[in-house]
Amino acid sequence: MDVTNNQFVLNKFGFLGSDFADEIQKHAIITNIKGKTEITREGQKNKFVPFLISGSIKVYSLNDGRELIYYYVRPNDSCLMTFSSIFNDYTSKVYAFAEEDSEVLLIPVSVIHEWLIKFPEINRVFYNEYHKRFSDVMNMVNDAVFHKLDIRVLNYIKQQISVTGNNPVKLTHKEIANNLGTSREVVSRVLKKIENEGEIIQTKEGIKLTVNENVRHL
């Protein structure tokens, strides 16, 4: 496959020049990952750093079976936690899960380690990723510490609409509970409360946000 002429690769790495294009053609691959597929897990040795071309990847940790979501990798982004493993024996500290059918560019972690020295300007790509992911994690921490559960549930719904582009969005009460570290019964009560307040509508098609301006800016 001609990786270097892929529009995503040109947009992401074109500024690095022809020598880098030869390197990425030699080492990188583009592949498809089916939705609802685990990509990596905590303790696993990472072989690749994924750059998402299309789809959605959830990055999270597990504690007693409950998920703590750190961020979602969106198109044109990379998994920063996977990248950081190149400085830590390539061992993953998180789980990564393809939420939907996704197309990814995979670059071997060992090769990226070499590129950081050979092509120092590539650091610009990862500085940008650090900025975005740090903001995501800070938002997650602020949400968990300072917001009541009804606000957290509403923010989670907005986040899922932003990630998937769907409103209504298909979400089960159990899924929301697992992702927010609470019980399904509590989430059901909260959803009923915010529905009564006019924030959402629950339908057979999913949960619909009634006012969706600024959703894309979460």
Side-chain angles (χ1 to χ4, degrees), residues 61-79:
S61 63
L62 279 177
N63 186 9
D64 292 331
R66 292 182 175 178
E67 296 180 3
L68 176 63
I69 298 175
Y70 293 121
Y71 54 82
Y72 285 86
V73 182
R74 304 182 186 185
N76 200 43
D77 291 346
S78 176
C79 179

Side-chain angles (χ1 to χ4, degrees), residues 47-142:
K47 297 180 179 179
F48 300 95
V49 173
F51 289 83
L52 190 62
I53 299 173
S54 64
S56 175
I57 296 174
K58 177 174 66 176
V59 179
Y60 62 100
S61 63
L62 279 177
N63 186 9
D64 292 331
R66 292 182 175 178
E67 296 180 3
L68 176 63
I69 298 175
Y70 293 121
Y71 54 82
Y72 285 86
V73 182
R74 304 182 186 185
N76 200 43
D77 291 346
S78 176
C79 179
L80 186 61
M81 293 289 198
T82 306
F83 168 71
S84 67
S85 73
I86 72 173
F87 305 108
N88 187 34
D89 197 29
Y90 303 163
T91 303
S92 177
K93 299 291 186 182
V94 296
Y95 293 80
F97 183 83
E99 289 276 272
E100 55 186 323
D101 291 349
S102 301
E103 185 180 19
V104 295
L105 172 75
L106 298 177
I107 302 177
V109 290
S110 56
V111 171
I112 288 185
H113 213 173
E114 297 172 4
W115 286 353
L116 292 174
I117 300 171
K118 189 175 181 179
F119 302 96
E121 285 191 358
I122 199 175
N123 283 284
R124 188 194 313 172
V125 174
F126 295 109
Y127 290 149
N128 290 335
E129 296 296 327
Y130 268 110
H131 175 71
K132 287 185 285 189
R133 298 290 78 82
F134 181 76
S135 296
D136 287 342
V137 171
M138 286 301 297
N139 288 337
M140 178 272 293
V141 171
N142 287 335

